[in-house]
Every structure is written in C-alpha cells, then in structure tokens.
Amino acid sequence: MQELPVVAKVDPTSSKIQKPSWLRVKLPIGESYKHVRGLVDTHKLHTICESGNCPNMGECWGEGTATFMILGNVCTRSCGFCAVATGRPAPVDWDEPQRVAEAIHLMKVKHAVLTSVDRDELKDGGSIIWYNTIKAVKNLNPDTTLETLIPDFKGNADQVQRIIDAAPEVVSHNMETVERLTRQVRVQAKYHRSLDVLRMLKEGGMRTKTGMMLGLGETKEEVVQSMKDLVNVGCDVLTLGQYLQPTKKHLPVQRFVHPDEFAELREIGYDLGFDYVESGPLVRSSYHSEKHVIKGWGRGKWMEEKALLKSE
C-alpha cells in the first residue's frame, strides 16, 4: 500500500508542524445553533462540545445533536492525548442523571451523546450512574436517540452488562490508536481489553462503535490491522480523525494526514465490512452520530457513490 505524501507547512524557525489549510472550520451560524447557544448560556448547561473545543460544534448543534459528560470533570487516568484533568474526582452526584435528562429536554436535543471520565476508584466503575442516566434520559425524552461513549470499566463484564441492560441505541468505546501506541497514548488502557469490551457489547445485542485518532506516529498498515481487529469483534461503526495536540504537555502531532488518505481508509473500512465509516481530518467521535444510529445508512450511501462513479 503506497503512502500518500504528507502535506503540511513547516516553519523553519520552529520544530512544530504547522496546521494545514484543510483543518480550518467555518464559524457556527444558523437559527438552530443560536437557539441551543442561548439555552446553554442562559441555563449554564455543560456540554463536552464546548469544553472540548470541538470544531464541529456549530454543525452538530444546528442538527440538534449535543454531547454531555457525566461523572464529573476529573479523570482517574492520564492519557497522553486528553485535556481532561487527572486527579481525585469529587464524590458521585446521584442527582446528575435527572439533571442531564432535563437539560436534554430543555435543549430539545434530537440525538444525544453521553460520555464520561474514567472512575477507576469506584467499585462499580461509575456504571450505576451510567445506567441511571441512560434510563432517565430515555424516560424524559422518549423520542431522543442516544449514543453512549463509555470507558472500558477495566473489562468488568458486570459493569459492561449494566450498559447493555440500559439499552441505548449505540454504545461506543474508543480504541483511540493502534496496538503499538496504546501504552503511550492511553497509559492505563489495554488494546485487547478494549476489543473485548466491544465484543461483549456486540454479543449483548448492542450496535457498537469506536473511534481512532491518526497522526500520532502510526503506520497505515497498523491502522488497517486495527480495522481488521475491530471487524473481527463485530464493530459496526468506525470514526477516523486527525489528532490535534490540546496543550504543550500532551503528545505532539507527528504528522497531519492528508484528506485523500482519510478517503482511502474509508474505502478500506467499507471493504472490510464496517456498516458505517466516518473518516476525515475534522471527524470527532460524535460527528454525524445521529446518522450512526441508522443501520445500513452509511453502507447504503457508500454503495450509491460507487454505483454513481461506475455510471459516469
């Protein structure tokens, strides 16, 4: 497989790779975005869209999608890519599930994504709050579809089963990177443990999803091998996006992956058997997640594209 050239501007006075033009985004606009923006500001709601400085916030809010982080904002792990604070988290807030459900109702969110920090200090890993939040959201917002981006719960089958029992439309657990780089990128995580979590979810009847960041030093062959590993555990949806260094203390960007390479990996993913592949420089885990709920939608669009190309 031939490597595509890395196209990035290099400042001769700096060792840092400069961001290429394809990583620029438009300012958020539109009435739907303004409506959600107003509600968030007025009611002081917390979304990971803002705290994570997501480049797609305007587009997602305009489509009625938002991402919420539960179980606090202090993580017990210290991943090399993540800007969330590491330390001793505050005690569990048992009223949080209802507040999240009410926020989603207030914002009139059509599709919600829930994520969380890792809470390894808790006996249940935070899985009870996860279960309660999913149930509260579904009870108050029966027409809202839901994706849950969960931690690995240290591979504990009982804790994973709580997510299955709560039955969200999609359960996501991010691999983040290839096997060789896992210890460096996700310090306390294990590559095959994450695969096992995705396998357990699939065997429990869930529609499963994962995400990976590119530009951390992986090779294309390693990415393809990870894709094969994911297909082998039945993963339905894959997102691939460009890693961006959040602060100087985090892992540096090794390269900016060209959009053509993302497009090629999308083709490979569909050929391998994924039901939906979202692949591009600005793709983040929850980007277009409202479409990831729909079985066959991504593959169907891909097949339409291929048929159109053949007819030209």
Side-chain angles (χ1 to χ4, degrees):
M1 199 177 301
Q2 185 179 2
E3 290 286 340
L4 291 166
V6 178
V7 181
K9 297 178 182 178
V10 179
D11 182 348
T13 64
S14 171
S15 59
K16 185 178 179 180
I17 304 173
Q18 302 301 303
K19 287 183 184 179
S21 59
W22 59 76
L23 286 173
R24 296 172 185 166
V25 293
K26 296 178 180 178
L27 289 173
I29 56 173
E31 291 305 315
S32 296
Y33 169 79
K34 290 176 183 176
H35 172 71
V36 175
R37 169 85 276 166
L39 287 171
V40 168
D41 291 344
T42 301
H43 297 277
K44 297 181 172 60
L45 302 175
H46 173 70
T47 69
I48 195 66
C49 316
E50 292 178 292
S51 58
N53 293 319
C54 180
N56 306 308
M57 182 172 67
E59 182 179 349
C60 291
W61 284 11
E63 292 293 327
T65 300
T67 302
F68 300 84
M69 187 164 71
I70 62 174
L71 286 163
N73 58 2
V74 177
C75 189
T76 54
R77 299 192 185 181
S78 52
C79 297
F81 68 92
C82 184
V84 173
T86 301
R88 180 177 294 178
V92 170
D93 178 358
W94 294 101
D95 294 327
E96 183 177 43
Q98 189 61 30
R99 286 205 315 277
V100 171
E102 289 171 357
I104 289 171
H105 184 74
L106 183 67
M107 294 169 68
K108 295 181 172 59
V109 172
K110 299 174 186 175
H111 176 76
V113 181
L114 300 180
T115 187
S116 79
V117 292
D118 284 275
R119 295 296 299 262
D120 292 330
E121 89 288 4
L122 299 176
K123 187 176 181 181
D124 74 317
S127 60
I128 294 175
I129 282 286
W130 263 107
Y131 177 89
N132 291 348
T133 305
I134 296 166
K135 285 299 187 182
V137 170
K138 299 301 283 185
N139 286 339
L140 190 59
N141 307 276
D143 296 327
T144 298
T145 54
L146 188 60
E147 175 188 324
T148 54
L149 174 53
I150 65 170
D152 64 17
F153 297 118
K154 292 185 175 179
N156 185 295
D158 291 337
Q159 294 170 18
V160 174
Q161 185 62 43
R162 283 198 181 101
I163 307 298
I164 296 170
D165 291 342
E169 280 76 14
V170 177
V171 186
S172 180
H173 172 63
N174 283 345
M175 299 298 295
E176 307 294 6
T177 191
V178 299
E179 183 175 7
R180 176 176 59 87
L181 297 177
T182 294
R183 181 172 292 184
Q184 178 186 4
V185 175
R186 304 167 64 210
V187 181
Q188 292 99 325
K190 297 179 180 178
Y191 181 82
H192 288 282
R193 185 166 71 189
S194 287
L195 287 174
D196 283 342
V197 168
L198 288 165
R199 176 185 52 78
M200 284 188 274
L201 291 166
K202 190 62 182 177
E203 289 175 353
M206 296 292 97
R207 181 166 172 81
T208 55
K209 172 180 169 180
T210 195
M212 293 178 63
M213 304 172 292
L214 305 187
L216 283 158
E218 71 290 327
T219 66
K220 189 184 296 184
E221 288 73 19
E222 288 175 318
V223 175
V224 172
Q225 182 59 54
S226 291
M227 293 163 77
K228 291 177 180 177
D229 293 341
L230 289 162
V231 169
N232 286 340
V233 297
C235 187
D236 298 294
V237 182
L238 173 67
T239 64
L240 299 171
Q242 172 68 51
Y243 167 67
L244 297 176
Q245 184 181 19
T247 75
K248 292 181 180 179
K249 295 180 180 179
H250 292 85
L251 293 170
V253 175
Q254 296 298 320
R255 69 173 183 134
F256 288 110
V257 180
H258 194 278
D260 288 349
E261 188 169 343
F262 277 108
E264 183 180 356
L265 288 169
R266 176 176 178 265
E267 291 292 308
I268 292 170
Y270 278 123
D271 284 337
L272 287 172
F274 285 101
D275 187 58
Y276 200 122
V277 183
E278 197 82 60
S279 182
L282 291 172
V283 168
R284 296 295 176 265
S285 182
S286 58
Y287 186 56
H288 287 165
S289 61
E290 72 280 0
K291 296 183 178 71
H292 301 167
V293 172
I294 308 167
K295 184 177 180 180
W297 194 92
R299 175 164 288 276
K301 286 293 182 183
W302 173 68
M303 292 177 70
E304 286 178 14
E305 290 171 13
K306 291 182 77 68
L308 187 61
L309 286 172
K310 286 182 180 178
S311 66
E312 290 179 353

